[in-house]
Amino acid sequence: SLHDALPISVIAIENVRLFTELSEALEQQTATAEILRVISQSPTDVSPVLTAVAKAALKFCGARDAVVSLRDGDTWFIAAHEGPIEATLGPRPLTRGTAPGRVMVEGTVVHVADLQSPEADDFPEAREFGAREGFRAVLAAPLLRDNVPIGAISLRRPDPGAFTPSQVDLLESFAAQAVIAIENVRLFTEL
């Protein structure tokens, strides 16, 4: 009867949901393991690690593009980039008008679902870059060393829309791994 079948279908749906969550968790752990492997193989060069972090963030955070930026005094520059959206090269002034700049000034996550909406009025440079380079949604997390922002990892998408809380958390985790790599290279070269 239909009454007897309902609990079985509910159980089946729940099993599919749990299997999907476990698969995603396993993929994320695999990505983390890959980043740690690259860290161990690159004791004096942070570039391969930052590239691995950008690739992992791109794959698991629902973005079309990932950029790792590093702070250098009152400027910042792109240290790694993955994806088809153009990444403007060269040092940029450290301002609050871009997502990476704001992240590096304030040390907090920046999330703008649509750079062409009124919510993005505080990001005039980001709005201009987005219109020129083809992205509307941006999420950026700080790379924090001793609570001081030393860089940012940013995700960009051509379509407007918010990133999920789990994507935000995962991006913050990838940012922490990038900091570990940067710190390892710094300590190794000091030795």
Side-chain angles (χ1 to χ4, degrees):
S1 77
L2 181 61
H3 179 71
D4 293 335
L6 185 62
I8 292 172
S9 65
V10 170
I11 290 170
I13 290 169
E14 181 62 11
N15 283 344
V16 167
R17 185 187 67 77
L18 289 172
F19 180 76
T20 301
E21 286 180 7
L22 285 172
S23 294
E24 288 173 359
L26 181 59
E27 283 184 345
Q28 292 168 7
Q29 287 180 341
T30 302
T32 298
E34 172 63 17
I35 292 167
L36 293 174
R37 184 186 66 74
V38 175
I39 288 173
S40 71
Q41 293 178 346
S42 304
T44 59
D45 184 7
V46 76
S47 295
V49 181
L50 297 181
T51 298
V53 167
K55 285 181 180 180
L58 183 60
K59 181 175 182 181
F60 294 107
C61 294
R64 182 96 184 271
D65 189 74
V67 179
V68 179
S69 308
L70 296 178
R71 183 176 182 165
D72 184 16
D74 291 335
T75 64
W76 59 273
F77 63 94
I78 294 173
H81 172 247
E82 284 295 318
I85 299 173
E86 172 118 7
T88 305
L89 301 176
R92 293 244 166 259
L94 190 62
T95 68
R96 287 179 165 83
T98 65
R102 170 102 29 121
V103 163
M104 287 183 249
V105 169
E106 297 180 359
T108 59
V109 170
V110 168
H111 186 189
V112 182
D114 187 357
L115 286 168
Q116 301 308 316
S117 73
E119 78 168 308
D121 286 348
D122 287 347
F123 298 93
E125 289 109 329
R127 177 178 280 156
E128 179 188 323
F129 291 153
R132 185 177 65 234
E133 296 171 1
F135 64 94
R136 290 194 49 187
V138 65
L139 171 66
L143 278 59
L144 297 170
R145 182 173 53 214
D146 298 327
N147 292 321
V148 175
I150 61 168
I153 182 167
S154 307
L155 300 176
R156 305 180 302 176
R157 287 196 298 231
D159 300 319
F163 289 85
T164 68
S166 64
Q167 290 168 332
V168 175
D169 291 344
L170 192 53
L171 187 64
E172 289 179 300
S173 173
F174 289 135
Q177 292 172 354
V179 172
I180 291 168
I182 292 166
E183 190 64 9
N184 281 352
V185 169
R186 185 184 69 79
L187 291 172
F188 192 87
T189 54
E190 281 182 6
L191 289 176

Short mmCIF file of all heavy atoms in Angstrom, two decimals, residues 53-105:
data_model
loop_
_atom_site.label_atom_id
_atom_site.label_comp_id
_atom_site.label_asym_id
_atom_site.label_seq_id
_atom_site.Cartn_x
_atom_site.Cartn_y
_atom_site.Cartn_z
N VAL A 53 45.82 25.35 -3.99
CA VAL A 53 44.73 25.92 -3.19
C VAL A 53 43.68 26.54 -4.10
O VAL A 53 42.47 26.33 -3.93
CB VAL A 53 45.28 26.95 -2.17
CG1 VAL A 53 44.15 27.77 -1.55
CG2 VAL A 53 46.08 26.25 -1.08
N ALA A 54 44.12 27.30 -5.11
CA ALA A 54 43.18 27.92 -6.05
C ALA A 54 42.38 26.85 -6.79
O ALA A 54 41.16 26.98 -6.96
CB ALA A 54 43.93 28.83 -7.02
N LYS A 55 43.04 25.79 -7.24
CA LYS A 55 42.34 24.71 -7.95
C LYS A 55 41.31 24.04 -7.06
O LYS A 55 40.19 23.75 -7.49
CB LYS A 55 43.35 23.67 -8.46
CG LYS A 55 44.14 24.11 -9.65
CD LYS A 55 45.10 23.02 -10.10
CE LYS A 55 45.88 23.47 -11.32
NZ LYS A 55 46.83 22.46 -11.79
N ALA A 56 41.68 23.76 -5.80
CA ALA A 56 40.75 23.11 -4.88
C ALA A 56 39.56 24.02 -4.58
O ALA A 56 38.41 23.57 -4.58
CB ALA A 56 41.47 22.74 -3.58
N ALA A 57 39.81 25.29 -4.36
CA ALA A 57 38.72 26.23 -4.08
C ALA A 57 37.78 26.32 -5.27
O ALA A 57 36.55 26.33 -5.12
CB ALA A 57 39.28 27.60 -3.73
N LEU A 58 38.35 26.34 -6.46
CA LEU A 58 37.54 26.41 -7.67
C LEU A 58 36.66 25.16 -7.80
O LEU A 58 35.48 25.26 -8.10
CB LEU A 58 38.47 26.53 -8.89
CG LEU A 58 37.81 26.68 -10.25
CD1 LEU A 58 36.95 27.92 -10.31
CD2 LEU A 58 38.88 26.72 -11.32
N LYS A 59 37.23 24.02 -7.52
CA LYS A 59 36.50 22.77 -7.68
C LYS A 59 35.38 22.59 -6.66
O LYS A 59 34.30 22.11 -7.00
CB LYS A 59 37.48 21.59 -7.57
CG LYS A 59 36.82 20.23 -7.75
CD LYS A 59 37.83 19.11 -7.75
CE LYS A 59 37.13 17.78 -7.98
NZ LYS A 59 38.09 16.66 -7.95
N PHE A 60 35.60 23.00 -5.42
CA PHE A 60 34.66 22.65 -4.36
C PHE A 60 33.77 23.79 -3.87
O PHE A 60 32.89 23.57 -3.06
CB PHE A 60 35.42 22.08 -3.15
CG PHE A 60 36.08 20.77 -3.47
CD1 PHE A 60 37.44 20.69 -3.61
CD2 PHE A 60 35.32 19.63 -3.64
CE1 PHE A 60 38.05 19.48 -3.92
CE2 PHE A 60 35.92 18.42 -3.94
CZ PHE A 60 37.28 18.34 -4.08
N CYS A 61 33.98 24.99 -4.36
CA CYS A 61 33.23 26.12 -3.81
C CYS A 61 32.25 26.75 -4.80
O CYS A 61 31.79 27.87 -4.58
CB CYS A 61 34.19 27.18 -3.27
SG CYS A 61 35.14 26.61 -1.85
N GLY A 62 31.93 26.08 -5.87
CA GLY A 62 30.90 26.57 -6.78
C GLY A 62 31.24 27.86 -7.49
O GLY A 62 30.37 28.70 -7.70
N ALA A 63 32.50 28.02 -7.87
CA ALA A 63 32.92 29.24 -8.55
C ALA A 63 33.38 28.91 -9.97
O ALA A 63 33.54 27.74 -10.34
CB ALA A 63 34.05 29.92 -7.79
N ARG A 64 33.61 29.93 -10.74
CA ARG A 64 34.13 29.77 -12.10
C ARG A 64 35.60 30.14 -12.15
O ARG A 64 36.30 29.83 -13.10
CB ARG A 64 33.32 30.69 -13.01
CG ARG A 64 33.67 30.63 -14.46
CD ARG A 64 32.75 29.68 -15.20
NE ARG A 64 33.13 29.54 -16.58
CZ ARG A 64 32.70 30.32 -17.56
NH1 ARG A 64 31.86 31.30 -17.30
NH2 ARG A 64 33.10 30.11 -18.79
N ASP A 65 36.07 30.79 -11.08
CA ASP A 65 37.39 31.38 -11.09
C ASP A 65 37.87 31.50 -9.65
O ASP A 65 37.07 31.77 -8.76
CB ASP A 65 37.26 32.77 -11.73
CG ASP A 65 38.58 33.42 -12.02
OD1 ASP A 65 39.25 33.01 -12.96
OD2 ASP A 65 38.90 34.38 -11.30
N ALA A 66 39.15 31.31 -9.42
CA ALA A 66 39.73 31.47 -8.09
C ALA A 66 41.05 32.23 -8.20
O ALA A 66 41.84 31.97 -9.11
CB ALA A 66 39.97 30.11 -7.43
N VAL A 67 41.25 33.17 -7.29
CA VAL A 67 42.45 34.01 -7.30
C VAL A 67 43.01 34.06 -5.88
O VAL A 67 42.29 34.34 -4.93
CB VAL A 67 42.12 35.45 -7.77
CG1 VAL A 67 43.36 36.33 -7.74
CG2 VAL A 67 41.49 35.45 -9.15
N VAL A 68 44.31 33.79 -5.76
CA VAL A 68 45.01 33.99 -4.48
C VAL A 68 45.86 35.24 -4.63
O VAL A 68 46.68 35.35 -5.55
CB VAL A 68 45.89 32.78 -4.11
CG1 VAL A 68 46.61 33.03 -2.79
CG2 VAL A 68 45.05 31.50 -4.03
N SER A 69 45.63 36.19 -3.74
CA SER A 69 46.36 37.47 -3.76
C SER A 69 47.17 37.60 -2.49
O SER A 69 46.76 37.15 -1.43
CB SER A 69 45.36 38.63 -3.84
OG SER A 69 44.46 38.45 -4.90
N LEU A 70 48.32 38.26 -2.61
CA LEU A 70 49.17 38.49 -1.45
C LEU A 70 49.41 39.98 -1.27
O LEU A 70 49.51 40.73 -2.25
CB LEU A 70 50.51 37.76 -1.61
CG LEU A 70 50.42 36.24 -1.67
CD1 LEU A 70 51.80 35.63 -1.89
CD2 LEU A 70 49.77 35.67 -0.42
N ARG A 71 49.50 40.36 -0.03
CA ARG A 71 49.73 41.77 0.32
C ARG A 71 51.22 42.06 0.31
O ARG A 71 52.04 41.26 0.75
CB ARG A 71 49.15 42.04 1.71
CG ARG A 71 49.26 43.47 2.13
CD ARG A 71 48.60 43.71 3.45
NE ARG A 71 48.69 45.12 3.80
CZ ARG A 71 47.97 45.68 4.74
NH1 ARG A 71 47.12 44.97 5.44
NH2 ARG A 71 48.12 46.96 5.01
N ASP A 72 51.56 43.25 -0.20
CA ASP A 72 52.93 43.72 -0.19
C ASP A 72 52.89 45.20 0.19
O ASP A 72 52.74 46.07 -0.66
CB ASP A 72 53.58 43.52 -1.56
CG ASP A 72 55.05 43.92 -1.58
OD1 ASP A 72 55.65 44.07 -0.49
OD2 ASP A 72 55.60 44.09 -2.68
N GLY A 73 52.96 45.48 1.49
CA GLY A 73 52.87 46.86 1.97
C GLY A 73 51.51 47.45 1.69
O GLY A 73 50.49 46.92 2.13
N ASP A 74 51.46 48.52 0.92
CA ASP A 74 50.21 49.19 0.58
C ASP A 74 49.65 48.75 -0.76
O ASP A 74 48.79 49.41 -1.33
CB ASP A 74 50.42 50.71 0.56
CG ASP A 74 50.68 51.27 1.95
OD1 ASP A 74 50.24 50.64 2.93
OD2 ASP A 74 51.32 52.33 2.04
N THR A 75 50.14 47.61 -1.27
CA THR A 75 49.64 47.06 -2.53
C THR A 75 49.36 45.58 -2.34
O THR A 75 49.72 44.98 -1.32
CB THR A 75 50.64 47.24 -3.68
OG1 THR A 75 51.83 46.50 -3.39
CG2 THR A 75 50.98 48.70 -3.91
N TRP A 76 48.71 45.00 -3.34
CA TRP A 76 48.53 43.55 -3.39
C TRP A 76 48.70 43.09 -4.84
O TRP A 76 48.57 43.88 -5.76
CB TRP A 76 47.19 43.12 -2.82
CG TRP A 76 45.96 43.67 -3.49
CD1 TRP A 76 45.34 44.86 -3.21
CD2 TRP A 76 45.19 43.07 -4.54
NE1 TRP A 76 44.24 45.02 -4.02
CE2 TRP A 76 44.12 43.93 -4.84
CE3 TRP A 76 45.30 41.87 -5.25
CZ2 TRP A 76 43.17 43.66 -5.83
CZ3 TRP A 76 44.35 41.59 -6.23
CH2 TRP A 76 43.30 42.48 -6.51
N PHE A 77 49.03 41.81 -5.00
CA PHE A 77 49.26 41.25 -6.33
C PHE A 77 48.69 39.84 -6.38
O PHE A 77 48.50 39.20 -5.34
CB PHE A 77 50.75 41.26 -6.68
CG PHE A 77 51.58 40.40 -5.77
CD1 PHE A 77 51.87 39.08 -6.09
CD2 PHE A 77 52.08 40.91 -4.57
CE1 PHE A 77 52.62 38.29 -5.24
CE2 PHE A 77 52.84 40.12 -3.71
CZ PHE A 77 53.10 38.81 -4.05
N ILE A 78 48.44 39.38 -7.59
CA ILE A 78 47.91 38.03 -7.79
C ILE A 78 49.08 37.04 -7.77
O ILE A 78 50.02 37.16 -8.55
CB ILE A 78 47.13 37.94 -9.10
CG1 ILE A 78 45.88 38.82 -9.01
CG2 ILE A 78 46.77 36.49 -9.42
CD1 ILE A 78 45.11 38.94 -10.31
N ALA A 79 48.99 36.06 -6.86
CA ALA A 79 50.03 35.05 -6.72
C ALA A 79 49.65 33.74 -7.39
O ALA A 79 50.52 32.95 -7.74
CB ALA A 79 50.34 34.82 -5.24
N ALA A 80 48.35 33.49 -7.55
CA ALA A 80 47.87 32.28 -8.22
C ALA A 80 46.48 32.55 -8.79
O ALA A 80 45.70 33.30 -8.19
CB ALA A 80 47.83 31.09 -7.27
N HIS A 81 46.19 31.94 -9.93
CA HIS A 81 44.90 32.15 -10.58
C HIS A 81 44.51 30.88 -11.32
O HIS A 81 45.34 30.27 -11.99
CB HIS A 81 45.01 33.32 -11.57
CG HIS A 81 43.81 33.49 -12.43
ND1 HIS A 81 43.84 33.28 -13.78
CD2 HIS A 81 42.53 33.82 -12.13
CE1 HIS A 81 42.63 33.48 -14.29
NE2 HIS A 81 41.82 33.81 -13.31
N GLU A 82 43.25 30.48 -11.17
CA GLU A 82 42.71 29.34 -11.90
C GLU A 82 41.34 29.73 -12.44
O GLU A 82 40.52 30.28 -11.70
CB GLU A 82 42.55 28.12 -10.99
CG GLU A 82 43.83 27.41 -10.66
CD GLU A 82 44.49 26.78 -11.86
OE1 GLU A 82 43.78 26.17 -12.70
OE2 GLU A 82 45.72 26.88 -11.99
N GLY A 83 41.10 29.46 -13.70
CA GLY A 83 39.79 29.72 -14.28
C GLY A 83 39.87 30.64 -15.47
O GLY A 83 40.90 31.26 -15.74
N PRO A 84 38.75 30.73 -16.20
CA PRO A 84 38.75 31.44 -17.47
C PRO A 84 38.56 32.96 -17.37
O PRO A 84 38.76 33.67 -18.35
CB PRO A 84 37.57 30.81 -18.21
CG PRO A 84 36.63 30.42 -17.12
CD PRO A 84 37.51 30.00 -15.98
N ILE A 85 38.16 33.46 -16.22
CA ILE A 85 37.93 34.90 -16.09
C ILE A 85 39.29 35.59 -16.05
O ILE A 85 40.21 35.15 -15.35
CB ILE A 85 37.10 35.23 -14.84
CG1 ILE A 85 35.72 34.57 -14.92
CG2 ILE A 85 36.95 36.74 -14.67
CD1 ILE A 85 34.89 34.70 -13.67
N GLU A 86 39.42 36.68 -16.77
CA GLU A 86 40.68 37.43 -16.81
C GLU A 86 41.08 37.88 -15.40
O GLU A 86 40.23 38.29 -14.61
CB GLU A 86 40.52 38.65 -17.71
CG GLU A 86 41.69 39.57 -17.67
CD GLU A 86 42.37 39.71 -19.02
OE1 GLU A 86 41.85 39.18 -20.01
OE2 GLU A 86 43.42 40.33 -19.05
N ALA A 87 42.34 37.79 -15.11
CA ALA A 87 42.87 38.28 -13.83
C ALA A 87 43.86 39.40 -14.14
O ALA A 87 44.89 39.16 -14.78
CB ALA A 87 43.56 37.16 -13.06
N THR A 88 43.54 40.60 -13.72
CA THR A 88 44.40 41.75 -13.99
C THR A 88 45.71 41.58 -13.22
O THR A 88 45.71 41.41 -12.01
CB THR A 88 43.70 43.05 -13.55
OG1 THR A 88 42.43 43.11 -14.20
CG2 THR A 88 44.51 44.26 -13.92
N LEU A 89 46.80 41.62 -13.95
CA LEU A 89 48.10 41.41 -13.33
C LEU A 89 48.70 42.74 -12.88
O LEU A 89 48.22 43.81 -13.24
CB LEU A 89 49.04 40.72 -14.33
CG LEU A 89 48.55 39.36 -14.82
CD1 LEU A 89 49.50 38.81 -15.88
CD2 LEU A 89 48.42 38.38 -13.67
N GLY A 90 49.77 42.63 -12.14
CA GLY A 90 50.45 43.84 -11.66
C GLY A 90 49.96 44.25 -10.29
O GLY A 90 48.86 43.89 -9.89
N PRO A 91 50.77 44.99 -9.58
CA PRO A 91 50.36 45.41 -8.24
C PRO A 91 49.16 46.34 -8.28
O PRO A 91 49.02 47.15 -9.19
CB PRO A 91 51.59 46.13 -7.68
CG PRO A 91 52.60 46.17 -8.76
CD PRO A 91 52.08 45.43 -9.94
N ARG A 92 48.30 46.18 -7.32
CA ARG A 92 47.10 47.01 -7.16
C ARG A 92 47.18 47.74 -5.83
O ARG A 92 47.65 47.17 -4.85
CB ARG A 92 45.86 46.13 -7.14
CG ARG A 92 45.60 45.46 -8.44
CD ARG A 92 44.30 46.02 -8.93
NE ARG A 92 44.02 45.77 -10.28
CZ ARG A 92 44.18 46.66 -11.27
NH1 ARG A 92 44.69 47.82 -11.05
NH2 ARG A 92 43.83 46.38 -12.48
N PRO A 93 46.69 48.98 -5.76
CA PRO A 93 46.68 49.67 -4.47
C PRO A 93 45.73 48.97 -3.49
O PRO A 93 44.70 48.44 -3.90
CB PRO A 93 46.17 51.07 -4.80
CG PRO A 93 45.81 51.07 -6.24
CD PRO A 93 46.19 49.77 -6.85
N LEU A 94 46.12 48.96 -2.26
CA LEU A 94 45.32 48.33 -1.20
C LEU A 94 44.21 49.29 -0.79
O LEU A 94 44.44 50.26 -0.08
CB LEU A 94 46.23 48.01 -0.02
CG LEU A 94 45.64 47.14 1.07
CD1 LEU A 94 45.27 45.77 0.52
CD2 LEU A 94 46.65 46.96 2.20
N THR A 95 43.00 49.04 -1.30
CA THR A 95 41.84 49.88 -0.99
C THR A 95 40.67 48.98 -0.60
O THR A 95 40.69 47.78 -0.84
CB THR A 95 41.40 50.74 -2.19
OG1 THR A 95 40.88 49.86 -3.20
CG2 THR A 95 42.56 51.55 -2.75
N ARG A 96 39.64 49.60 -0.06
CA ARG A 96 38.44 48.85 0.31
C ARG A 96 37.48 48.67 -0.87
O ARG A 96 36.43 48.09 -0.74
CB ARG A 96 37.72 49.58 1.44
CG ARG A 96 38.41 49.47 2.76
CD ARG A 96 37.63 50.25 3.83
NE ARG A 96 38.07 49.88 5.16
CZ ARG A 96 39.11 50.37 5.77
NH1 ARG A 96 39.87 51.27 5.17
NH2 ARG A 96 39.42 49.99 6.99
N GLY A 97 37.84 49.16 -2.05
CA GLY A 97 36.94 49.14 -3.21
C GLY A 97 36.92 47.84 -3.98
O GLY A 97 36.10 47.67 -4.88
N THR A 98 37.83 46.89 -3.65
CA THR A 98 37.81 45.56 -4.26
C THR A 98 37.63 44.55 -3.14
O THR A 98 37.95 44.82 -1.98
CB THR A 98 39.13 45.25 -4.99
OG1 THR A 98 40.19 45.20 -4.05
CG2 THR A 98 39.42 46.27 -6.08
N ALA A 99 37.14 43.37 -3.48
CA ALA A 99 36.96 42.33 -2.46
C ALA A 99 38.30 41.93 -1.82
O ALA A 99 38.42 41.91 -0.59
CB ALA A 99 36.23 41.13 -3.04
N PRO A 100 39.35 41.62 -2.62
CA PRO A 100 40.62 41.26 -1.98
C PRO A 100 41.20 42.41 -1.15
O PRO A 100 41.73 42.19 -0.07
CB PRO A 100 41.55 40.92 -3.15
CG PRO A 100 40.66 40.68 -4.31
CD PRO A 100 39.42 41.47 -4.08
N GLY A 101 41.10 43.63 -1.67
CA GLY A 101 41.61 44.77 -0.93
C GLY A 101 40.91 44.95 0.41
O GLY A 101 41.55 45.13 1.45
N ARG A 102 39.58 44.87 0.40
CA ARG A 102 38.82 45.01 1.65
C ARG A 102 39.17 43.90 2.64
O ARG A 102 39.34 44.14 3.82
CB ARG A 102 37.32 45.00 1.33
CG ARG A 102 36.40 44.90 2.52
CD ARG A 102 35.72 46.14 3.01
NE ARG A 102 35.43 47.17 2.08
CZ ARG A 102 34.22 47.64 1.83
NH1 ARG A 102 33.16 47.11 2.43
NH2 ARG A 102 34.05 48.64 1.01
N VAL A 103 39.30 42.68 2.11
CA VAL A 103 39.67 41.55 2.97
C VAL A 103 41.02 41.79 3.62
O VAL A 103 41.22 41.53 4.81
CB VAL A 103 39.65 40.24 2.14
CG1 VAL A 103 40.41 39.14 2.84
CG2 VAL A 103 38.23 39.81 1.86
N MET A 104 41.98 42.31 2.86
CA MET A 104 43.33 42.52 3.39
C MET A 104 43.40 43.73 4.32
O MET A 104 44.28 43.79 5.16
CB MET A 104 44.33 42.65 2.24
CG MET A 104 44.59 41.32 1.56
SD MET A 104 45.83 41.44 0.26
CE MET A 104 44.82 41.17 -1.19
N VAL A 105 42.49 44.67 4.18
CA VAL A 105 42.45 45.82 5.09
C VAL A 105 41.73 45.45 6.38
O VAL A 105 42.19 45.76 7.47
CB VAL A 105 41.77 47.04 4.41
CG1 VAL A 105 41.48 48.14 5.42
CG2 VAL A 105 42.63 47.57 3.28
#
